Amino acid sequence: MLHYLDEYPIFVALLAGIGLSISLGMETLSWTVRSLADAGQMGHFISRTNVFLYGARIFNLLFVMLISFFIDSGMGAKNILFIIGLSFVMVTIFHGPLTFSKKLETDVSKAIGLLLGVSAAEGINYNICQPSVRLAYFTALSTAVFTAGLSVPYVLASWFPEYRMTMSTISQIINSIGTVLLLFLVDPLMYRMMDKGALNSSISSYVKGRFMGYGIGAIILVFISLIVAQ
């Protein structure tokens, strides 16, 4: 597969994937940290995790900057497609351990909480898991749309470099659709669970939804890149 990246060192391409993995992983973990709070701590937890959440944008900008540089430097569409697909494979792998180990998810969330200056609420049984199919499904759907918003415009820009600015608006359109799905389908469920004190027991469904959404996107992107390369 290294022939896909013959124009640039592979570690630079992997750097894009690492940046995206950290960025999207931090977004996921911001909610798992919030799930550690009780009702009296929620405002404090949200304010602290908002700082953590916005910090994720720095790593997202790293991904965007590198992909934009590759396109402006004349890298072919199949290489761009492969790099983006590889990046989302790395994102999926990052979410894997958090998805299949409730203990790891809780331990990592507690550690991040301590770094942010918040402590997990006492008296919560973190081993209780109450799956929410709706939360997992809606999260996977919105995540898949955001995945398209982060990939489709760059691939199109590499195919039609003379319309790069036009393609950038496509990203905003797709992301706005993902935001509507998030605001109307995912957030109401999450905040309702938060009000009932049931967020921690169902947060695994949110993590699973993110894992599925990124996994589906990664499979599609890699599959298309292999077809284009033939």
Side-chain angles (χ1 to χ4, degrees), residues 81 85 144 147 213-227:
L81 189 57
T147 299
Y214 293 133
I216 292 170
I219 291 172
I220 293 173
L221 287 168
V222 172
F223 179 73
I224 294 176
S225 71
L226 292 175
I227 293 177

Side-chain angles (χ1 to χ4, degrees), residues 36-120:
L36 302 177
D38 59 24
Q41 299 175 302
M42 196 55 68
H44 184 49
F45 266 71
I46 290 176
S47 66
R48 291 290 184 171
T49 53
N50 279 344
V51 175
F52 182 70
L53 187 59
Y54 281 104
R57 295 189 177 185
I58 298 174
F59 295 97
N60 184 66
L61 287 173
L62 173 63
F63 170 79
V64 171
M65 179 187 69
L66 287 173
I67 297 299
S68 299
F69 170 74
F70 291 150
I71 293 173
D72 289 341
S73 299
M75 179 177 278
K78 68 177 182 181
N79 293 345
I80 294 295
L81 189 57
F82 179 80
I83 292 173
I84 295 175
L86 176 63
S87 296
F88 278 101
V89 168
M90 294 174 67
V91 172
T92 306
I93 292 173
F94 182 97
H95 281 76
L98 298 175
T99 301
F100 298 106
S101 175
K102 174 67 175 175
K103 183 179 185 304
L104 178 63
E105 172 217 301
T106 301
D107 290 343
V108 172
S109 300
K110 286 181 177 180
I112 293 173
L114 291 176
L115 291 174
L116 295 175
V118 293
S119 300

Side-chain angles (χ1 to χ4, degrees), residues 71-72 153-170:
I71 293 173
D72 289 341
Y154 291 111
V155 175
L156 292 177
S158 64
W159 268 323
F160 308 103
E162 64 274 21
Y163 296 110
R164 284 196 295 268
M165 292 302 295
T166 302
M167 299 308 171
S168 67
T169 62
I170 294 178

